[in-house]
Amino acid sequence: RMFLHTAGATDNVDTHALFLLGWVELRLRRDPVDAVRLLTAARRDADAGGHHVLAGRATANLMLAYAHGGFFTAARGLSARSAAESPRAENTEWQHYDGGIECMAQGLVEYWQNKLSAAESQFRLLLEQGGHGGSYAAMARVYLALTAAATGDARLMAEARSHLSGISAVEMHGVPWPAYRTLADAKLVAATGDWPRTLALIEPLQRTSAIPVTSVLTAELYRKAGQLGTAMHILGTVQRPGQTSYVKASALVSAAVIAHLQGQRSLAHQYLESALTAAVPEGMARLFVAGADDACLQELL
């Protein structure tokens, strides 16, 4: 960032620096809007400068930045261009870390929009491509488990569980893979109705507030298990300005159900309306699907 504000940097270097900053900001998961801004600028400048490989990489990463930030409509709008621009037979070093980025972005959108068959297809494409325990294939293993748990399909859940060993058991490049792996396992266990084991699995996740999506999904599990105080405590750690739309809406849905259970009808509906305001423009239907373990949500809706 300091370099971009110094005099004498060439347009060519500026373009690559913008992409590098956007790429890093996306992986640090700090500010999705800033990642989108930087990658949009990098794609624009790469197009203008004739840097076609860089433009393709920027487009693919921008699609993931949109999906990660909860801008699902924009992500879908970019998917056709991303498929056309993304370089195929590139060097193996780049593909080792960025291969399959488009599938991951599309899979995230499909999952949160509750298009579970389409999400499963995207995550399967990533699994077929393969990848180490800290790659996009590893994140696909996490979301395949979430997708399987959402379907309740015993066959798919068993298959998803078999893939969990492919997720890193240690943090890599700042990504807390053990927490993601634990959440995936807990979601699969909860889908079988084994709440004592689910609670035992997620107990360590109470101390992982740095991962908002993990926190809201953990709070949801505590809510469904009847541990309302713990659920609200976790939700209190993730409500902050600039939160991604699906994290914000997920927290509001859980808060609404808890208020409803506690007899606070007016507050429950305020929370639910706020959740709908955040979720509807991006088609986030997954948050509002009440399964057999969530009759209270269905009653509230």
Side-chain angles (χ1 to χ4, degrees):
R1 288 180 188 273
M2 290 173 61
F3 173 78
L4 282 173
H5 289 92
T6 61
T10 66
D11 290 342
N12 179 48
V13 173
D14 277 358
T15 302
H16 287 76
L18 279 170
F19 172 72
L20 177 60
L21 277 176
W23 192 94
V24 169
E25 192 61 56
L26 176 58
R27 273 127 191 102
L28 289 174
R29 307 176 308 286
R30 300 183 305 189
D31 186 346
V33 173
D34 196 32
V36 166
R37 180 183 64 82
L38 289 163
L39 290 166
T40 298
R43 184 185 67 160
R44 178 199 63 219
D45 291 357
D47 271 340
H51 303 294
H52 302 302
V53 171
L54 186 64
R57 290 177 178 175
T59 298
N61 276 271
L62 178 57
M63 185 178 170
L64 182 62
Y66 278 139
H68 170 67
F71 308 113
F72 298 148
T73 303
R76 283 195 179 278
L78 201 59
S79 62
R81 174 167 178 174
S82 178
E85 288 184 356
S86 293
R88 296 306 171 193
E90 282 198 88
N91 63 70
T92 56
E93 291 89 348
W94 185 266
Q95 289 297 333
H96 184 68
Y97 284 102
D98 245 28
I101 191 171
E102 302 94 336
C103 291
M104 191 66 238
Q106 291 182 53
L108 283 173
V109 173
E110 306 289 11
Y111 172 77
W112 288 107
Q113 293 189 336
N114 203 46
K115 299 175 182 178
L116 300 181
S117 293
E120 179 188 342
S121 296
Q122 292 298 326
F123 300 138
R124 285 190 181 280
L125 285 173
L126 266 169
L127 293 179
E128 290 170 7
Q129 176 179 297
H132 57 85
S135 65
Y136 287 116
M139 190 58 76
R141 294 175 187 117
V142 173
Y143 271 89
L144 180 64
L146 302 188
T147 302
T151 67
D153 184 311
R155 175 199 58 81
L156 183 57
M157 288 196 295
E159 180 187 351
R161 179 169 284 107
S162 72
H163 288 297
L164 295 184
S165 61
I167 303 168
S168 175
V170 297
E171 183 175 306
M172 294 177 65
H173 301 133
V175 180
W177 290 108
Y180 286 127
R181 182 172 172 171
T182 297
L183 175 67
D185 193 11
K187 277 283 196 177
L188 290 170
V189 172
T192 70
D194 188 346
W195 290 105
R197 186 172 168 225
T198 300
L199 290 171
L201 281 169
I202 62 177
E203 194 279 331
L205 297 182
Q206 293 186 46
R207 297 177 288 280
T208 57
S209 59
I211 322 166
V213 69
T214 299
S215 294
V216 294
L217 293 178
T218 300
E220 178 189 281
L221 288 172
Y222 273 110
R223 168 175 66 78
K224 291 181 178 181
Q227 304 287 321
L228 304 187
T230 303
M232 284 303 294
H233 171 73
I234 295 171
L235 292 177
T237 69
V238 297
Q239 288 285 52
R240 62 177 183 265
Q243 199 59 265
T244 56
S245 56
Y246 52 90
V247 169
K248 178 181 179 180
S250 295
L252 286 165
V253 167
S254 280
V257 173
I258 291 170
H260 182 62
L261 285 167
Q262 295 175 336
Q264 299 173 291
R265 290 175 55 85
S266 178
L267 183 60
H269 285 282
Q270 288 177 33
Y271 283 144
L272 188 60
E273 289 295 339
S274 296
L276 288 164
T277 298
V280 168
E282 304 297 346
M284 285 180 270
R286 170 96 294 270
L287 313 177
F288 304 98
V289 176
D293 60 349
D294 210 358
C296 188
L297 173 57
Q298 184 170 343
E299 178 183 301
L300 175 59
L301 288 166

